[in-house]
Amino acid sequence: MTRDQTDAAALERFLRGVERRALRHVELAGQSREDALDILQEAMLAFVRAYRHKPEEEWPLLFWKVLGSKLVDAQRRGKLWSRWFGWLGRNGAEDEDDPVARFPDRIEAGPEQRLGDQEAALALEAALRELPQRQRQAFLLRVWEGLDVTSTARAMGVSEGSVKTHLFRAMQQLRARLGEYL
């Protein structure tokens, strides 16, 4: 295998490994599944264009930074759209007969495995959606992605102290809302 083929294989493995978590990250920011998929695709393309030649150990931080930027861009576009064209209403009738949407995901756990934790997961998802954006972002990057404080600060574009503050506040709110599940 050539060096380019090896790099392409490593990049593909990385993107496959981060794809599902990144999609949840965007959905928890209040995006619909369809919009989240679009944002994720934009982020992956931008990441590949800009950073594919960077060292592999830098990819996670760079990817989360790109995804955060694309999410902010999408939220701004949504606010602008609703400000100027919201009076028109959304005419996008979603196609529920999409065969791709019905195709089973081979990676996803089966229904019997999901049933036990479904109520707690729904409560967590609702609580995460209610968090302010920076608190949610700090929580997802530090707790779910396991980034250290320095990497999280760089990905979010804030100071390390700000990351600690946002995470602390997020944890307080989540504990208060999810006390019965802890």
Side-chain angles (χ1 to χ4, degrees), residues 5-173:
Q5 290 172 327
T6 304
D7 290 346
L11 185 59
E12 185 173 341
R13 272 193 313 276
F14 169 75
L15 292 174
R16 283 186 190 270
V18 77
E19 178 181 29
R20 293 177 63 72
R21 295 187 320 271
L23 182 60
R24 288 301 293 150
H25 186 99
V26 176
E27 286 178 324
L28 289 170
Q31 300 294 325
S32 69
R33 180 76 167 192
E34 294 78 19
D35 290 343
L37 287 168
D38 288 343
I39 293 166
L40 179 58
Q41 182 178 22
E42 284 180 35
M44 286 182 165
L45 288 171
F47 170 78
V48 169
R49 282 187 202 117
Y51 300 117
R52 70 177 172 264
H53 297 299
K54 291 283 188 179
E56 192 172 341
E57 59 272 3
E58 293 180 20
W59 288 351
L61 170 65
L62 295 169
F63 174 78
W64 289 109
K65 190 170 190 165
V66 170
L67 183 66
S69 294
K70 293 297 179 185
L71 182 55
V72 168
D73 290 347
Q75 290 169 335
R76 286 181 182 149
R77 279 193 309 265
K79 286 180 183 176
L80 182 65
W81 188 91
S82 65
R83 183 179 303 141
W84 290 100
F85 302 106
W87 58 274
L88 292 172
R90 263 208 141 112
N91 196 15
E94 297 177 16
D95 186 8
E96 294 179 11
D97 295 325
D98 181 10
V100 174
R102 289 181 292 167
F103 193 80
D105 188 346
R106 296 179 304 187
I107 298 172
E108 188 173 325
E112 54 282 333
Q113 185 177 354
R114 292 190 315 258
L115 278 178
D117 294 330
Q118 186 175 14
E119 186 177 319
L122 290 173
L124 175 61
E125 184 175 321
L128 284 170
R129 286 180 192 269
E130 292 174 12
L131 289 176
Q133 178 182 344
R134 289 294 193 178
Q135 289 179 19
R136 180 178 49 251
Q137 189 178 20
F139 177 84
L140 291 172
L141 292 175
R142 287 282 292 128
V143 176
W144 279 14
E145 292 305 318
L147 296 181
D148 61 21
V149 174
T150 304
S151 297
T152 302
R154 286 179 48 206
M156 291 175 63
V158 298
S159 70
E160 291 181 20
S162 183
V163 168
K164 292 175 184 178
T165 300
H166 289 307
L167 181 60
F168 176 77
R169 290 178 181 162
M171 296 297 286
Q172 280 185 316
Q173 287 189 39

